[in-house]
Amino acid sequence: MKKVIKGGKVVDPSRGICGIMDVYICNGIVKAVDKNIEVEDAEIINAYGKIVTPGLIDMHVHLREPGFEAKEDIESGSRAAAAGGYTSVACMPNTNPVIDNKTVVRFIKDRAREVHKVNIYAIGAITKGLKGEELAEMADMRAAGAVAFSDDGKPVMNSGLMRRALEYAAMFDVPIISHSEDTNLSADGVINEGRVSAVLGLKGIPAAAEEVMVARDVILSEMTGSRLHIAHVSTKRSVEIIRRAKERGVKVTAEAAPHHFTLTEDSVMSFDTNTKVNPPLRSAEDVEAVKQGLKDGTIDAIATDHAPHTYEDKDTEYDNAAFGISGIETAVPLVITYLINTGVLTLSQAVEKLTINPAKILGINKGSLKPGSDADITIIDLDAKTVVDVNKFESRGKNSPFNRWKLKGSPFMTIVGGRVVWQKEGC
Ligand code: DOR
Ligand code: ZN
């Protein structure tokens, strides 16, 4: 099976490529990226006027299977990923049962193989049952294919346990992904602690709840020499702590989610429970700092924290609604509209944070179009007009605060291992 993607602007930061080129795919593998490739009998994919990038990688999604299939399952989550332009995702372990042993890791891999749409990598739990009490079977999970460990959704409050988790993870050279939240500070808060929480009378989560844990985990990473990745960075001081740690040579990386560089706490004034997310939407100053962190490289990756929920989970008082945003199908237009078109990131920088950087953090052989790579490719239309419509989401989670928003740009085609797994309607 031969395909040539013709005439697009290829943006492959892993090789410093940014120019009009063709991509030749044969048997699911990238054979060549060059000007004017002519191959006999090849199917032609017309990418004129479009951007051609290595397949996007979302290193932070919740696929909810096993256990919470009413919110999402591996099938619907895979379709949502493909429709969002993603060819690979890494799923968090807060399922039921929790991904805290090799059997559940294998289950995820088996289901991903059956669904056969996008590449799915499992992130194992740090602690058994996400209880924060004793370490999960990390070595077994690693051997079964887990690419990182995290108790995401919850912090590991016990610093001694976090230290040991970092030490073990270093033995397999995988990162610990920190959901940085001191639950004694966040307590039963539901939105950012600040002006809006005061006006609305909703209980606040202070920025410090995140920052003290970012600082702690940076210190533990520095002490152990182990790789630490900070999930969903949302505050100015978190960015600053990570920036300084990187300057000292600490092995820390970080990600930001689209809602944290596009929305402020002001969105909560609507009382729309789709704005309820953990960590919460922060102040305008925090949003600016997250953008600066993305710009100067302090924040390495853009990850959606795709957190689908049912209508019922959100159709309740703000205090009782579930935390989370269904984000994988709006990430590309949000990045284009808020980061690229505003000059915060160049196209190459944005693509880097969506491809090669998350691949490096997870230690997976993805995120590049170098010849010999799996033909995982995303074609993006920077000029498309997008009107977000949650009813058109492939995800079961319709919980998006961006519904009806008008944005610029959209994915155009998603190719996994040389197979077209999604293309925009009308193409
Ligand atoms: O908003 C969130 N939703 N934050 C988390 O940390 C967990 C996630 C979920 O699983 O719904
Ligand atoms: Zn998460």
Side-chain angles (χ1 to χ4, degrees), residues 60-62 64 92 94 150 152-154 179 231-232 255 278-279 304-307:
H60 188 150
V61 303
H62 297 268
R64 307 300 193 200
M92 286 296 177
N94 60 344
S150 181
D152 181 62
K154 292 180 176 176
H179 170 107
H232 40 53
E255 72 189 32
N278 187 19
T304 67
D305 196 3
H306 176 66

PDB file of all heavy atoms in Angstrom, residues 60-62 64 92 94 150 152-154 179 231-232 255 278-279 304-307, ligand 2:
ATOM      1  N   HIS A  60      -1.950  12.935  28.068  1.00  0.00           N
ATOM      2  CA  HIS A  60      -2.781  12.972  29.275  1.00  0.00           C
ATOM      3  C   HIS A  60      -4.260  12.928  28.904  1.00  0.00           C
ATOM      4  O   HIS A  60      -4.867  13.956  28.620  1.00  0.00           O
ATOM      5  CB  HIS A  60      -2.464  14.255  30.065  1.00  0.00           C
ATOM      6  CG  HIS A  60      -3.111  14.315  31.408  1.00  0.00           C
ATOM      7  ND1 HIS A  60      -2.540  14.981  32.478  1.00  0.00           N
ATOM      8  CD2 HIS A  60      -4.280  13.810  31.874  1.00  0.00           C
ATOM      9  CE1 HIS A  60      -3.343  14.884  33.526  1.00  0.00           C
ATOM     10  NE2 HIS A  60      -4.406  14.178  33.182  1.00  0.00           N
ATOM     11  N   VAL A  61      -4.806  11.720  28.871  1.00  0.00           N
ATOM     12  CA  VAL A  61      -6.241  11.573  28.607  1.00  0.00           C
ATOM     13  C   VAL A  61      -6.846  10.584  29.603  1.00  0.00           C
ATOM     14  O   VAL A  61      -6.156   9.746  30.180  1.00  0.00           O
ATOM     15  CB  VAL A  61      -6.542  11.073  27.171  1.00  0.00           C
ATOM     16  CG1 VAL A  61      -5.936  11.996  26.129  1.00  0.00           C
ATOM     17  CG2 VAL A  61      -6.068   9.647  26.954  1.00  0.00           C
ATOM     18  N   HIS A  62      -8.149  10.718  29.780  1.00  0.00           N
ATOM     19  CA  HIS A  62      -8.901   9.762  30.602  1.00  0.00           C
ATOM     20  C   HIS A  62      -9.847   9.030  29.670  1.00  0.00           C
ATOM     21  O   HIS A  62     -10.779   9.640  29.132  1.00  0.00           O
ATOM     22  CB  HIS A  62      -9.669  10.503  31.699  1.00  0.00           C
ATOM     23  CG  HIS A  62      -8.762  11.208  32.664  1.00  0.00           C
ATOM     24  ND1 HIS A  62      -8.319  10.620  33.824  1.00  0.00           N
ATOM     25  CD2 HIS A  62      -8.173  12.427  32.613  1.00  0.00           C
ATOM     26  CE1 HIS A  62      -7.505  11.450  34.468  1.00  0.00           C
ATOM     27  NE2 HIS A  62      -7.405  12.566  33.741  1.00  0.00           N
ATOM     28  N   ARG A  64     -11.485   6.203  30.616  1.00  0.00           N
ATOM     29  CA  ARG A  64     -12.577   5.721  31.493  1.00  0.00           C
ATOM     30  C   ARG A  64     -12.844   4.224  31.450  1.00  0.00           C
ATOM     31  O   ARG A  64     -13.674   3.748  32.220  1.00  0.00           O
ATOM     32  CB  ARG A  64     -13.892   6.456  31.203  1.00  0.00           C
ATOM     33  CG  ARG A  64     -13.803   7.977  31.227  1.00  0.00           C
ATOM     34  CD  ARG A  64     -13.363   8.512  32.552  1.00  0.00           C
ATOM     35  NE  ARG A  64     -13.575   9.953  32.648  1.00  0.00           N
ATOM     36  CZ  ARG A  64     -12.951  10.739  33.521  1.00  0.00           C
ATOM     37  NH1 ARG A  64     -12.074  10.228  34.374  1.00  0.00           N
ATOM     38  NH2 ARG A  64     -13.191  12.020  33.570  1.00  0.00           N
ATOM     39  N   MET A  92      -4.738   7.733  31.600  1.00  0.00           N
ATOM     40  CA  MET A  92      -4.511   7.776  33.045  1.00  0.00           C
ATOM     41  C   MET A  92      -5.195   6.606  33.750  1.00  0.00           C
ATOM     42  O   MET A  92      -6.216   6.092  33.279  1.00  0.00           O
ATOM     43  CB  MET A  92      -5.026   9.110  33.587  1.00  0.00           C
ATOM     44  CG  MET A  92      -4.119  10.266  33.230  1.00  0.00           C
ATOM     45  SD  MET A  92      -2.493  10.034  34.033  1.00  0.00           S
ATOM     46  CE  MET A  92      -1.614  11.460  33.399  1.00  0.00           C
ATOM     47  N   ASN A  94      -7.000   6.258  36.527  1.00  0.00           N
ATOM     48  CA  ASN A  94      -8.127   6.355  37.472  1.00  0.00           C
ATOM     49  C   ASN A  94      -9.404   5.727  36.899  1.00  0.00           C
ATOM     50  O   ASN A  94     -10.428   6.377  36.746  1.00  0.00           O
ATOM     51  CB  ASN A  94      -8.355   7.789  37.953  1.00  0.00           C
ATOM     52  CG  ASN A  94      -8.671   8.777  36.844  1.00  0.00           C
ATOM     53  OD1 ASN A  94      -8.445   8.501  35.669  1.00  0.00           O
ATOM     54  ND2 ASN A  94      -9.210   9.930  37.209  1.00  0.00           N
ATOM     55  N   SER A 150       1.491   7.507  37.471  1.00  0.00           N
ATOM     56  CA  SER A 150       0.835   8.695  38.009  1.00  0.00           C
ATOM     57  C   SER A 150      -0.383   8.279  38.824  1.00  0.00           C
ATOM     58  O   SER A 150      -1.016   7.271  38.517  1.00  0.00           O
ATOM     59  CB  SER A 150       0.367   9.594  36.856  1.00  0.00           C
ATOM     60  OG  SER A 150      -0.258  10.758  37.362  1.00  0.00           O
ATOM     61  N   ASP A 152      -2.758  10.462  38.902  1.00  0.00           N
ATOM     62  CA  ASP A 152      -3.513  11.627  38.413  1.00  0.00           C
ATOM     63  C   ASP A 152      -4.987  11.617  38.821  1.00  0.00           C
ATOM     64  O   ASP A 152      -5.661  10.586  38.764  1.00  0.00           O
ATOM     65  CB  ASP A 152      -3.432  11.718  36.892  1.00  0.00           C
ATOM     66  CG  ASP A 152      -4.196  12.926  36.375  1.00  0.00           C
ATOM     67  OD1 ASP A 152      -3.817  14.040  36.738  1.00  0.00           O
ATOM     68  OD2 ASP A 152      -5.187  12.738  35.654  1.00  0.00           O
ATOM     69  N   GLY A 153      -5.438  12.788  39.194  1.00  0.00           N
ATOM     70  CA  GLY A 153      -6.769  12.920  39.802  1.00  0.00           C
ATOM     71  C   GLY A 153      -6.587  13.113  41.291  1.00  0.00           C
ATOM     72  O   GLY A 153      -7.375  13.788  41.950  1.00  0.00           O
ATOM     73  N   LYS A 154      -5.475  12.529  41.783  1.00  0.00           N
ATOM     74  CA  LYS A 154      -5.134  12.662  43.202  1.00  0.00           C
ATOM     75  C   LYS A 154      -3.623  12.845  43.319  1.00  0.00           C
ATOM     76  O   LYS A 154      -2.866  12.324  42.502  1.00  0.00           O
ATOM     77  CB  LYS A 154      -5.471  11.361  43.955  1.00  0.00           C
ATOM     78  CG  LYS A 154      -6.919  11.036  44.068  1.00  0.00           C
ATOM     79  CD  LYS A 154      -7.043   9.742  44.841  1.00  0.00           C
ATOM     80  CE  LYS A 154      -8.491   9.382  45.085  1.00  0.00           C
ATOM     81  NZ  LYS A 154      -8.589   8.075  45.753  1.00  0.00           N
ATOM     82  N   HIS A 179       0.374  14.808  39.747  1.00  0.00           N
ATOM     83  CA  HIS A 179      -0.841  15.626  39.891  1.00  0.00           C
ATOM     84  C   HIS A 179      -0.578  16.437  41.156  1.00  0.00           C
ATOM     85  O   HIS A 179      -0.751  15.939  42.273  1.00  0.00           O
ATOM     86  CB  HIS A 179      -2.068  14.719  40.036  1.00  0.00           C
ATOM     87  CG  HIS A 179      -3.314  15.452  40.421  1.00  0.00           C
ATOM     88  ND1 HIS A 179      -4.340  15.687  39.540  1.00  0.00           N
ATOM     89  CD2 HIS A 179      -3.702  16.019  41.599  1.00  0.00           C
ATOM     90  CE1 HIS A 179      -5.316  16.352  40.156  1.00  0.00           C
ATOM     91  NE2 HIS A 179      -4.945  16.560  41.406  1.00  0.00           N
ATOM     92  N   ALA A 231       2.012  17.497  35.636  1.00  0.00           N
ATOM     93  CA  ALA A 231       0.784  17.528  34.820  1.00  0.00           C
ATOM     94  C   ALA A 231       0.104  18.896  34.970  1.00  0.00           C
ATOM     95  O   ALA A 231       0.309  19.608  35.951  1.00  0.00           O
ATOM     96  CB  ALA A 231      -0.161  16.423  35.275  1.00  0.00           C
ATOM     97  N   HIS A 232      -0.706  19.209  33.995  1.00  0.00           N
ATOM     98  CA  HIS A 232      -1.594  20.387  33.994  1.00  0.00           C
ATOM     99  C   HIS A 232      -1.158  21.565  34.873  1.00  0.00           C
ATOM    100  O   HIS A 232      -1.829  21.916  35.844  1.00  0.00           O
ATOM    101  CB  HIS A 232      -3.039  20.003  34.321  1.00  0.00           C
ATOM    102  CG  HIS A 232      -3.230  18.971  35.408  1.00  0.00           C
ATOM    103  ND1 HIS A 232      -2.685  19.086  36.656  1.00  0.00           N
ATOM    104  CD2 HIS A 232      -3.919  17.794  35.408  1.00  0.00           C
ATOM    105  CE1 HIS A 232      -3.049  18.036  37.380  1.00  0.00           C
ATOM    106  NE2 HIS A 232      -3.786  17.241  36.650  1.00  0.00           N
ATOM    107  N   GLU A 255       3.621  19.999  31.392  1.00  0.00           N
ATOM    108  CA  GLU A 255       2.596  20.141  30.341  1.00  0.00           C
ATOM    109  C   GLU A 255       1.583  21.194  30.782  1.00  0.00           C
ATOM    110  O   GLU A 255       1.411  21.456  31.975  1.00  0.00           O
ATOM    111  CB  GLU A 255       1.856  18.803  30.130  1.00  0.00           C
ATOM    112  CG  GLU A 255       0.946  18.501  31.308  1.00  0.00           C
ATOM    113  CD  GLU A 255       0.309  17.128  31.335  1.00  0.00           C
ATOM    114  OE1 GLU A 255       0.898  16.153  30.858  1.00  0.00           O
ATOM    115  OE2 GLU A 255      -0.814  17.042  31.884  1.00  0.00           O
ATOM    116  N   ASN A 278     -10.079  20.422  37.544  1.00  0.00           N
ATOM    117  CA  ASN A 278      -9.042  20.367  38.572  1.00  0.00           C
ATOM    118  C   ASN A 278      -7.689  20.110  37.924  1.00  0.00           C
ATOM    119  O   ASN A 278      -7.530  19.083  37.279  1.00  0.00           O
ATOM    120  CB  ASN A 278      -9.364  19.240  39.562  1.00  0.00           C
ATOM    121  CG  ASN A 278      -8.417  19.253  40.746  1.00  0.00           C
ATOM    122  OD1 ASN A 278      -7.778  20.251  41.011  1.00  0.00           O
ATOM    123  ND2 ASN A 278      -8.320  18.120  41.431  1.00  0.00           N
ATOM    124  N   PRO A 279      -6.674  20.987  38.088  1.00  0.00           N
ATOM    125  CA  PRO A 279      -6.738  22.258  38.782  1.00  0.00           C
ATOM    126  C   PRO A 279      -7.699  23.230  38.115  1.00  0.00           C
ATOM    127  O   PRO A 279      -7.968  23.122  36.927  1.00  0.00           O
ATOM    128  CB  PRO A 279      -5.284  22.779  38.702  1.00  0.00           C
ATOM    129  CG  PRO A 279      -4.652  22.033  37.599  1.00  0.00           C
ATOM    130  CD  PRO A 279      -5.337  20.712  37.523  1.00  0.00           C
ATOM    131  N   THR A 304      -4.156  17.423  26.772  1.00  0.00           N
ATOM    132  CA  THR A 304      -5.516  17.952  26.949  1.00  0.00           C
ATOM    133  C   THR A 304      -6.123  17.711  28.322  1.00  0.00           C
ATOM    134  O   THR A 304      -7.033  18.404  28.715  1.00  0.00           O
ATOM    135  CB  THR A 304      -6.491  17.340  25.916  1.00  0.00           C
ATOM    136  OG1 THR A 304      -6.639  15.949  26.183  1.00  0.00           O
ATOM    137  CG2 THR A 304      -6.007  17.577  24.503  1.00  0.00           C
ATOM    138  N   ASP A 305      -5.645  16.684  29.062  1.00  0.00           N
ATOM    139  CA  ASP A 305      -6.355  16.233  30.263  1.00  0.00           C
ATOM    140  C   ASP A 305      -7.829  15.962  29.920  1.00  0.00           C
ATOM    141  O   ASP A 305      -8.738  16.304  30.684  1.00  0.00           O
ATOM    142  CB  ASP A 305      -6.234  17.238  31.412  1.00  0.00           C
ATOM    143  CG  ASP A 305      -6.626  16.611  32.746  1.00  0.00           C
ATOM    144  OD1 ASP A 305      -6.928  15.400  32.783  1.00  0.00           O
ATOM    145  OD2 ASP A 305      -6.639  17.342  33.758  1.00  0.00           O
ATOM    146  N   HIS A 306      -8.021  15.363  28.741  1.00  0.00           N
ATOM    147  CA  HIS A 306      -9.371  14.999  28.277  1.00  0.00           C
ATOM    148  C   HIS A 306     -10.089  14.213  29.383  1.00  0.00           C
ATOM    149  O   HIS A 306      -9.706  13.101  29.706  1.00  0.00           O
ATOM    150  CB  HIS A 306      -9.215  14.144  27.016  1.00  0.00           C
ATOM    151  CG  HIS A 306     -10.494  13.608  26.455  1.00  0.00           C
ATOM    152  ND1 HIS A 306     -11.467  14.419  25.921  1.00  0.00           N
ATOM    153  CD2 HIS A 306     -10.950  12.329  26.335  1.00  0.00           C
ATOM    154  CE1 HIS A 306     -12.473  13.660  25.491  1.00  0.00           C
ATOM    155  NE2 HIS A 306     -12.189  12.398  25.738  1.00  0.00           N
ATOM    156  N   ALA A 307     -11.122  14.819  29.948  1.00  0.00           N
ATOM    157  CA  ALA A 307     -11.812  14.218  31.096  1.00  0.00           C
ATOM    158  C   ALA A 307     -13.319  14.176  30.831  1.00  0.00           C
ATOM    159  O   ALA A 307     -14.088  15.011  31.330  1.00  0.00           O
ATOM    160  CB  ALA A 307     -11.501  15.006  32.365  1.00  0.00           C
TER     161      ALA A 307
HETATM  162 ZN    ZN B   2      -6.045  14.156  34.373  1.00  0.00          ZN
END
